[in-house]
Each structure stands twice: as structure tokens, then as C-alpha cells.
Amino acid sequence: MVTIRFWFLDINYQVVGREPHIMIWGISENNERIMIIDKTFRPYFYVLPREGVNVNRLIAKIKMLSSARSPITAVEMVEKKYFGKPVKVLKVKTVIPDQVPKYREEIRKMPEVKEVLEADIRFSMRYLIDHQLHPSAWHEAEVEELLLKRPNLKVDRVYELKGYIKPIGLVKEPNLRKIAFDIECYNPHGAPSPERDPVIIISVYNDKGELIQFTATDKNDKTVLMKFVKYVQEYDPDIIMGYNNNRFDWPYLINRGKRVGVKIAISRFSGEPNPSVYGHISVMGRANIDLYDFAEEITEVKVKTLENVADYLGVMPKEKRTMINWWEMPKYWDELEKRKVFLKYAADDVVSTYGLGEKFLPFAIQLSSITGLPLDQVGAASVGFRVEWFLMREAYRANELIPSKVERPYEPYKGAIVLEPKKGVHDNIAVLDFSAMYPNIMIKYNISPDTYVPHTEEVDPEEVWVAPEIGHRFRKEPPGFFKKVLEMLLSLRRKVREEMKKYPTDSVEYRILNERQKALKILANAMYGYQGWVGARWYCKQAAEAITAWGRQTIRKAMNIAKELGLEIIYGDTDSIFVKYDKEKVEKLIERIKNELGFEIKIDKVYKRVFFTEAKKRYVGLLPDGRIDIVGFEAIRGDWSELAKEVQEAVMEIILKEGSTDKAVEYVRKIIGDLREKKIPISKLVIWKTISKRLDEYAVEAPHVAAARKIVERGGKVTVGSKIGYVIVKGTGRLSDRALPYFMTKIDDIDVNYYIDRQVIPAAVRVLEYFGISEKELKAVTVKAQKTLFEFFGG
């Protein structure tokens, strides 16, 4: 027996003979790829008997269910806690994981049984929880090497677990082998179909900085797929990255491979990628990461194309990359002199993808380690599932039973306070944000499903906290499950931030710890929303309502203090207040909120100038560095043309930076003129909308649905989730009759008046109407003198 140290990459299991084998994949300290097999772990679940039943008879009854395929090996009484209260439950052990649901359903029907618990936890995740292992982190294990010679197994060494396995908390990076890949298809009929359209380019970029491109011979792609599979097998990456690869690249490659007779055998067990939980694609022994999952969480980027995200994160500026419209790709492939441009386009895509991976991976690795979700799953999982897996691990440590998943209808509840803003333009506005307001409310008032006291239960008023407005009650003692978890999370984050101070800011250790503290912060802040999520195991609407009620009370008290200090309040939203910036008064406000309310608040940003409409959650601010911060306007929506968004953003920028409505009107008129003279490219006129159901299920023929039908008529493929880009062309009849897929038209066909009247002017007027400018004035030939903006300033 030997002791090894390794970085945890992936976990799965296989049933070998009649026993399950847990398989842990990792990278050892001496940079070998290893697999550890544990043959000892067995599935189990809990049975909560009804009060007063004969437990011995129930045990005998459960044992009677035992089948030869997966015998029930033990039924024993154990003591646990369930929502904080001590309970005695039966622990039922069996052999084959996929037989657990069968036993669960049979036992659930027994009249003596109140609940069956923890029978819906995936076997490999159960192993991680019970052994308190952390994916994407360093571990130590006592093992014995197995001399297995399997040609289809792509690892350096195979071990069997013979003793302990535990995390060891090393702060260092493993030597990970990484590749990014991207595919291009020949699609003259519109949306590519793997049954019909070949893969003409597969681009790969690796951690050595090497760019490799596999290209088809004319339109024969069998060799392309074979070369890609061979490359992955030989380079043997630990991490494979793509952009939207879970939804497009992998399914396309697998289905195309079946069509041309190539198995996409790129896992470390020489198997194909397989669909798994949360819609991600699993590649056994490797971490397949779809970077689009992380890009979706960047709220500042409104349309999440690869080029937009890469540009925003500084990976590859748009102006420096090769751009080709997808409907033109067949032409760039067919015309040999243009093929070099196509290859450069594909290369820019994969280099951008790898660059995004370098940005997202450090955070993903820390989030994986903290939540307990393997690296390939943590991005695809929603915030609710990330929180839940973390809570499940903590429940195990606290000897708490994990509630079962239950389907519930959506139940609305009153949310955070949002004030009516002071309409107009205001200079020098400070935005003050409460630090972790909701987590601190949960801690302060011990808000947790296990501390909630139903209104039917009598309790000494001195023993409970009572939520304002709604009256929900929560016991002051003992500390609830969520309070303990949050205190631990916040304490851990403080320790990590202290540890960061020991290292230079450009060191590997500092970078790892910084990503860790960010992951801890995000997880803590998500705890409130989790309790109000109907899919949550620990769902508690009363807790979510109470948190927002105390939040509203806290904001109101903070605003009263601000008024007492003579600060002008411009707006308030959830956990922040906007005030006219007065350094001395703001500092006093921060101090008083800390002393009188017990909460920390800090300046998040100061706007040089900010413009509010009368609507809540709709404003635009000018930051000191010249950036424009837009909240709630059309410019952040995805269902307007790029031109409409550009116009609105430009109008806002002119208003805020130059304070001139005349210049804003002049700009809009110039755009109208460019439209009439056909100077605006079609790419800026495309309107994107998503197909949310099957085409035959649409009762109303919306423009994007009509455009989708035209794609199908041309041989293209449209499925639920497809994004349809369309333009409006000249003609008569309904708007949907004049909606064409953007690749099926030319600039002379465009209905210019539609884009002037329904896109450009409405987008501009949404801002300019607050300064007395109408649609009619925007269309006028001359500009009449406008009032100055100073009457709109907030002082």
C-alpha cells in the first residue's frame, strides 16, 4: 500500500459483475494521469416511519422486498435530525445504484412509511458527500497499484483504494493539459443539419499555444472527424473547452459521426461524449466545459455571441478579428481564394474560446471545489443547484437528513423595496450598497426552514423573531441550519481574504485565493434566493418572504437616517440607495447605519451624471472613467436590432457627456438619413428572437416564427431554442409576411420606414421624450432650439 497525492478531476461509476465501482480520475503530484477505483461503497437511503408503527415489523417488511439483482443487505435504525428535530430513521442498504428508485417507490407505498429520503441522490455524488471530497482540489489517498493493461484506458496508472481518501488543502495549480475546439459546417440551406451538412473545419488550440486545423477534402468530412478523434486521444487533455459545445458542437459531431461511420471516442475510456445532468455533455475522465454557461452570467454583455464576450473581456477585440456572416460560409469554402479568410475566421474563434477559458477557469475551479460539483457540471448547473449541493454536503456533516425534491407550482411573494426615482438628470450621485444584506439578515434573525414557527404553534413571544409586515416567526435559538452555513461561509471568506495578504498580487497563490473568495461571496449571496426557489429541497416561502420584509425595513431605516443627515435621496432599489454625494454626510451615514442598524454599507460607485425616467429600475449613468452604465432600457434587451441599441446608447452618451439634446437629435436624424441612403449594413438591422416551442404549436404567426418557417422551407433545421435572425422587407400585408431570414435578402429589399418608425425613433424617444422631444421633431428637417439640460439636473 502506498500514499499518493492527486488533484481531483472527475468521478463516475460502473457496475462490474454485480458490484458498483467508483472511479476517480485525477492528476498526481508527479504529473501522471491516474484513476482510483473504490469497490467498497454501496448505495443506501433512509425511511422515516410514521409515529406509533411497529418498527421491527416494518424492517421485516422492507427486507421482504429484497431481489436477487440487488439484495437489500441491511436495514438498521439510526438517529438523525430532520429540519433540526431529532428523528429515528431506517437506513436501507443495497448493492446496485439503479435499483434504489425501484425500492424507493415500493417502500413509499407502505402505510407505515411517512417519507423515503435521500433516495434521489446520484451515486457518485453520494460518494463525494459521504467522503467529504472536493472536486478540483488536492487529495491524499492510501492505495494499491493495479497492473491493469487495458488498451482503451487512457491513464498512466490505476490504483485501488485500500485506506483513507481525504482533501489536503494544498494551494497550488496542477499541470493541466487543456484544449479548446470549434467546428464549422457547410450549410448552404440555412441552419446546419448533421444528417446532411459536413463538418468542414475543426479548429483546436492547446495550452502550448499551438493552433491545429483539420479541414475536409471538398465536402468529405470523414477524415476530419477521424483526425480530430486521434488528436484528442494523443494529446490527452484533462480539460476540453468550447463555446456552446454542449448544445451544438458535441451533438453535431456525434450525430455526424454516426452518419459517416466515425465513433467520436475521445473519453479516457475510449467512449463517446454522453448527455448528462443539467444539459451538459460528459466526457469520462476529462472535464468538458461549455464556456457559454459562464458567459451567460455576465450581465453587462447583452447578446452573448463569442465575439461580443471575447471583446468585452479583452480576449480579442472585435476590430482585430476576422468576421464572416454564417450564411456566407459556404461561399467562403467553395471559392478557394476565400478559403484562407474562412480558416482565419475559424482560428480566431478557437483562439477566442481558449482565451475565455483562461478567464473563466480559475473561478470555475474554485466554485467546483466549494460546491462539490465536478468541474464539467458546475457551469451548466443553475445557481440553485450549486447552492443545493453545497447545502447537502453541510447537511451530511451536521447529521441532518436531506429533504427530497418535490415538484411545486410557482408561488409569488413580495420582494425587495424599489422606490420611485426622482425623474430627470442628476449630477454627482453616490450609490451605496449594503454588504451581503440578505445573508446578514438571515444570520441576525436566524431565518431558516428549521427555525420557522407555523402560525398554528404557540410560542413565547420572547423566544422568536417576528418579521415586520407579515408576522412570520423564527426561533432565536438554537442557531438554524442556514444561519450556521452562512456564518461558516462568511467566516471562510474572511480567512481567505486574510490569507491573500500573505502573497504578492501577481502570484499563483493570490490568484487562486482571490477566485475562491469570489466563489464564496456568490454562494453566500445566493442563499436567500434559494429558499424562495420552488425547485429547492429546503424550499421555505415564509423564510424568503421574511428576508425581503426585513430588507425593506432596513432600507427604510437607512433612508430615514440619510434624511436626518440632510442627504437628498434620488432612488432606492433592493439593497442600495442613491444619494446626492456629500463626502462628509455620506461617511456619517455609513457610520450610523453600522452602529444603529448593525449592517455594513459602502459606496459602490459615484456617477458623474445619472438620468432617471419615472419608471423603476430604468436609468443610465455616466461613470468617472467615461463608461455608460445602462439599466432597464431597450439597449439591454435582445429583441431589438443592433441599430436600435446603438442609437439608444449613443443618445444616452450624448445627453450625459455633452448635455446637449440638440446634438442627440442631430445624431438621430443622421442615422435616419443613412438608413434612407442604404448606408447601414444589414447585419445591424437583424432582429433576433428565440423559438420557444415547436413551430406547429404557435397560434399567432409572429415575425420570427414566419422567418423560421421560411428557413425550414429552404431545407434548414429549426428546433426549440433556435435563435432566428430576421429583417423586415418592403411589401404589403402583415409584418410577419414581410419577415425574412436575414441571409435571404439584400439591402435594397429592406423596409427603411419600418426601421425608422419602429426601431430607431422609438429607441431614441424612450430617452428624449423626457426632455420634451417628440417623434415628430426627430423626423423634422430642421432642429428647433431646445432648452438646456440644467432644468433637469437634480441640483
Side-chain angles (χ1 to χ4, degrees):
M1 190 161 64
V2 295
T3 300
I4 60 167
R5 288 183 166 189
F6 68 97
W7 194 84
F8 197 124
L9 179 65
D10 192 19
I11 185 170
N12 43 55
Y13 79 93
Q14 284 188 339
V15 176
V16 180
R18 292 186 62 189
E19 66 178 13
H21 291 184
I22 288 285
M23 297 183 296
I24 297 168
W25 308 80
I27 299 128
S28 70
E29 269 194 316
N30 58 359
N31 205 34
E32 289 184 320
R33 273 59 193 168
I34 66 164
M35 183 175 76
I36 300 173
I37 300 171
D38 187 349
K39 302 177 181 179
T40 64
F41 194 60
R42 296 292 180 266
Y44 66 88
F45 57 93
Y46 296 104
V47 176
L48 179 62
R50 293 189 184 278
E51 288 185 24
V53 306
N54 187 314
V55 173
N56 289 330
R57 285 183 187 171
L58 178 57
I59 290 173
K61 197 171 177 180
I62 290 171
K63 286 181 176 178
M64 289 282 288
L65 297 173
S66 186
S67 70
R69 181 161 184 239
S70 179
I72 292 176
T73 56
V75 182
E76 57 187 3
M77 179 72 76
V78 294
E79 293 184 357
K80 304 283 284 184
K81 288 182 287 181
Y82 194 32
F83 287 100
K85 296 177 181 177
V87 291
K88 291 183 178 180
V89 290
L90 300 176
K91 185 176 183 179
V92 181
K93 297 180 183 178
T94 185
V95 179
I96 307 300
D98 67 10
Q99 291 300 292
V100 168
K102 173 180 171 288
Y103 284 132
R104 176 189 63 203
E105 295 309 310
E106 290 178 334
I107 293 171
R108 188 182 274 166
K109 294 172 186 174
M110 295 179 178
E112 303 93 337
V113 173
K114 186 175 183 180
E115 276 190 85
V116 179
L117 297 161
E118 304 195 14
D120 56 355
I121 300 173
R122 302 195 307 275
F123 185 59
S124 56
M125 295 300 290
R126 173 88 267 176
Y127 185 88
L128 290 177
I129 291 170
D130 287 22
H131 290 79
Q132 290 291 290
L133 307 182
H134 295 269
S136 308
W138 289 94
H139 292 71
E140 189 173 271
E142 289 181 334
V143 296
E144 184 178 280
E145 187 167 1
L146 301 177
L147 300 176
L148 294 180
K149 296 296 181 183
R150 297 186 190 175
N152 64 335
L153 184 58
K154 308 293 183 182
V155 292
D156 300 310
R157 296 182 189 275
V158 179
Y159 300 98
E160 184 176 348
L161 188 69
K162 290 295 184 181
Y164 67 82
I165 180 169
K166 64 180 182 181
I168 52 176
L170 286 179
V171 182
K172 66 176 184 177
E173 291 181 343
N175 187 10
L176 294 168
R177 290 199 291 263
K178 297 172 286 189
I179 66 167
F181 81 102
D182 183 69
I183 71 172
E184 308 296 344
C185 306
Y186 185 80
N187 55 326
H189 304 290
S193 164
E195 288 76 30
R196 178 192 62 218
D197 300 321
V199 177
I200 46 178
I201 304 172
I202 301 181
S203 303
V204 179
Y205 192 83
N206 65 30
D207 55 282
K208 295 178 182 176
E210 298 170 334
L211 171 68
I212 303 97
Q213 290 185 293
F214 307 109
T215 58
T217 305
D218 191 21
K219 300 175 187 68
N220 184 344
D221 60 345
K222 184 170 184 176
T223 304
V224 173
L225 301 185
M226 290 171 65
K227 285 182 177 178
F228 174 66
V229 170
K230 185 181 179 188
Y231 175 82
V232 175
Q233 289 174 341
E234 291 179 353
Y235 196 78
D236 193 26
D238 306 303
I239 293 176
I240 302 176
M241 301 176 289
Y243 195 82
N244 204 32
N245 55 325
N246 280 336
R247 301 160 188 83
F248 179 74
D249 299 65
W250 284 127
Y252 201 98
L253 286 174
I254 294 164
N255 288 320
R256 187 65 189 165
K258 289 174 182 174
R259 178 77 174 80
V260 300
V262 176
K263 185 180 179 183
I264 312 299
I266 52 101
S267 83
R268 282 197 165 131
F269 236 135
S270 299
E272 289 195 304
N274 284 304
S276 189
V277 291
Y278 316 124
H280 94 284
I281 301 291
S282 175
V283 180
M284 189 183 292
R286 312 188 198 278
N288 167 57
I289 299 173
D290 190 338
L291 300 168
Y292 182 82
D293 293 328
F294 295 96
E296 278 198 307
E297 297 175 20
I298 304 175
T299 55
E300 295 84 355
V301 181
K302 315 312 173 192
V303 181
K304 308 291 195 299
T305 60
L306 174 59
E307 58 268 21
N308 285 352
V309 177
D311 179 67
Y312 175 77
L313 293 176
V315 169
M316 184 176 289
K318 276 186 182 180
E319 61 271 16
K320 290 188 177 180
R321 62 168 295 142
T322 306
M323 295 295 292
I324 301 175
N325 293 315
W326 69 266
W327 69 89
E328 296 180 297
M329 290 179 182
K331 179 174 68 175
Y332 274 79
W333 182 254
D334 290 336
E335 297 180 27
L336 292 180
E337 66 274 14
K338 290 187 174 182
R339 196 173 288 185
K340 286 183 181 178
V341 179
F342 196 4
L343 287 166
K344 180 65 169 63
Y345 164 83
D348 286 352
D349 267 4
V350 78
V351 170
S352 295
T353 300
Y354 189 90
L356 291 183
E358 293 295 275
K359 295 282 187 181
F360 292 136
L361 261 180
F363 173 75
I365 284 170
Q366 294 306 314
L367 193 63
S368 166
S369 175
I370 292 166
T371 60
L373 276 163
L375 186 56
D376 63 337
Q377 297 177 27
V378 74
S382 67
V383 173
F385 283 121
R386 294 172 191 172
V387 169
E388 189 156 272
W389 283 110
F390 178 80
L391 289 172
M392 288 163 75
R393 297 169 70 88
E394 293 306 307
Y396 178 85
R397 295 202 318 152
N399 201 37
E400 277 273 353
L401 286 164
I402 298 168
S404 297
K405 294 193 78 66
V406 177
E407 286 192 17
R408 307 177 183 89
Y410 173 69
E411 293 184 275
Y413 58 89
K414 191 175 179 182
I417 191 170
V418 184
L419 296 180
E420 296 285 344
K422 289 191 175 180
K423 188 177 86 169
V425 178
H426 306 271
D427 278 346
N428 199 28
I429 301 299
V431 183
L432 290 99
D433 273 3
F434 280 88
S435 301
M437 175 194 267
Y438 286 167
N440 282 310
I441 285 173
M442 291 168 71
I443 290 170
K444 182 174 182 177
Y445 299 109
N446 201 24
I447 304 172
S448 185
D450 51 315
T451 61
Y452 170 64
V453 180
H455 69 276
T456 54
E457 187 176 323
E458 288 190 15
V459 64
D460 184 340
E462 294 298 314
E463 294 180 357
V464 293
W465 296 108
V466 182
E469 301 175 36
I470 52 178
H472 295 326
R473 301 173 300 169
F474 298 85
R475 294 188 185 278
K476 295 179 179 179
E477 295 291 340
F481 178 48
F482 274 68
K483 177 178 180 176
K484 288 187 283 189
V485 167
L486 277 167
E487 284 179 333
M488 183 268 290
L489 275 174
L490 297 179
S491 171
L492 186 56
R493 183 169 181 244
R494 284 192 293 270
K495 288 176 184 175
V496 170
R497 288 166 70 89
E498 282 299 312
E499 185 72 12
M500 286 167 62
K501 295 176 183 177
K502 299 177 184 177
Y503 300 100
T505 54
D506 60 351
S507 66
V508 170
E509 291 86 355
Y510 184 93
R511 188 170 71 247
I512 291 171
L513 292 168
N514 188 41
E515 297 298 336
R516 189 166 189 81
Q517 68 87 15
K518 284 195 287 187
L520 287 164
K521 177 184 177 180
I522 287 171
L523 203 60
N525 287 336
M527 288 286 174
Y528 142 70
Y530 173 81
Q531 290 190 84
W533 173 44
V534 292
R537 291 175 186 268
W538 280 274
Y539 174 71
C540 184
K541 181 187 174 188
Q542 295 87 351
E545 286 178 325
I547 295 162
T548 56
W550 265 301
R552 292 191 296 272
Q553 182 190 72
T554 303
I555 283 282
R556 289 192 186 101
K557 286 181 177 179
M559 289 191 296
N560 288 336
I561 296 170
K563 288 174 185 173
E564 288 172 18
L565 292 169
L567 281 165
E568 182 185 359
I569 298 169
I570 307 300
Y571 181 57
D573 183 358
T574 310
D575 60 354
S576 60
I577 53 176
F578 293 56
V579 299
K580 192 81 173 174
Y581 186 46
D582 179 316
K583 187 173 184 293
E584 186 178 333
K585 290 179 180 177
V586 166
E587 286 174 354
K588 285 181 181 176
L589 174 64
I590 291 169
E591 189 65 24
R592 282 190 61 182
I593 286 173
K594 183 177 180 181
N595 293 335
E596 296 174 29
L597 305 183
F599 291 93
E600 287 191 11
I601 195 170
K602 66 181 187 305
I603 296 175
D604 178 50
K605 62 186 82 169
V606 176
Y607 289 120
K608 287 177 67 176
R609 186 173 289 164
V610 63
F611 161 57
F612 282 99
T613 72
E614 82 289 349
K616 298 175 181 180
K617 293 183 180 289
R618 184 177 290 153
Y619 59 90
V620 55
L622 174 64
L623 294 163
D625 62 5
R627 286 182 296 125
I628 300 291
D629 200 14
I630 299 170
V631 176
F633 280 89
E634 281 80 1
I636 70 163
R637 284 169 37 188
D639 55 355
W640 283 65
S641 68
E642 188 66 32
L643 180 64
K645 295 173 197 171
E646 280 186 13
V647 166
Q648 194 172 75
E649 288 179 350
V651 167
M652 290 172 177
E653 191 165 347
I654 292 166
I655 292 291
L656 291 178
K657 286 186 176 179
E658 303 185 40
S660 170
T661 54
D662 283 359
K663 286 187 178 179
V665 171
E666 185 182 336
Y667 163 79
V668 176
R669 288 178 177 173
K670 181 183 182 304
I671 294 296
I672 291 172
D674 288 347
L675 262 171
R676 294 195 188 280
E677 294 172 22
K678 300 170 185 173
K679 291 181 179 178
I680 305 291
I682 282 183
S683 59
K684 291 194 175 183
L685 306 179
V686 179
I687 302 163
W688 291 94
K689 294 211 74 170
T690 301
I691 297 296
S692 58
K693 51 190 174 183
R694 293 203 325 264
L695 293 182
D696 59 8
E697 292 177 346
Y698 279 96
V700 177
E701 190 81 334
H704 72 295
V705 177
R709 294 194 199 283
K710 293 179 178 92
I711 291 174
V712 173
E713 286 167 11
R714 273 191 60 168
K717 186 176 181 182
V718 174
T719 59
V720 174
S722 293
K723 285 198 171 183
I724 304 299
Y726 67 92
V727 291
I728 302 300
V729 298
K730 289 180 282 193
T732 58
R734 298 175 305 168
L735 198 63
S736 56
D737 295 333
R738 298 187 287 119
L740 282 182
Y742 64 95
F743 55 87
M744 289 172 57
T745 189
K746 53 187 184 294
I747 194 69
D748 288 338
D749 299 327
I750 295 297
D751 183 349
V752 170
N753 290 327
Y754 166 82
Y755 283 93
I756 293 170
D757 296 336
R758 304 279 289 274
Q759 291 276 322
V760 171
I761 286 180
V765 165
R766 293 295 287 133
V767 180
L768 292 174
E769 66 182 346
Y770 298 101
F771 305 102
I773 295 167
S774 67
E775 291 186 21
K776 186 177 178 182
E777 287 173 87
L778 285 175
K779 288 182 177 180
V781 177
T782 57
V783 184
K784 76 173 186 180
Q786 300 293 334
K787 298 173 185 176
T788 68
L789 287 185
F790 287 102
E791 66 181 288
F792 298 103
F793 291 175

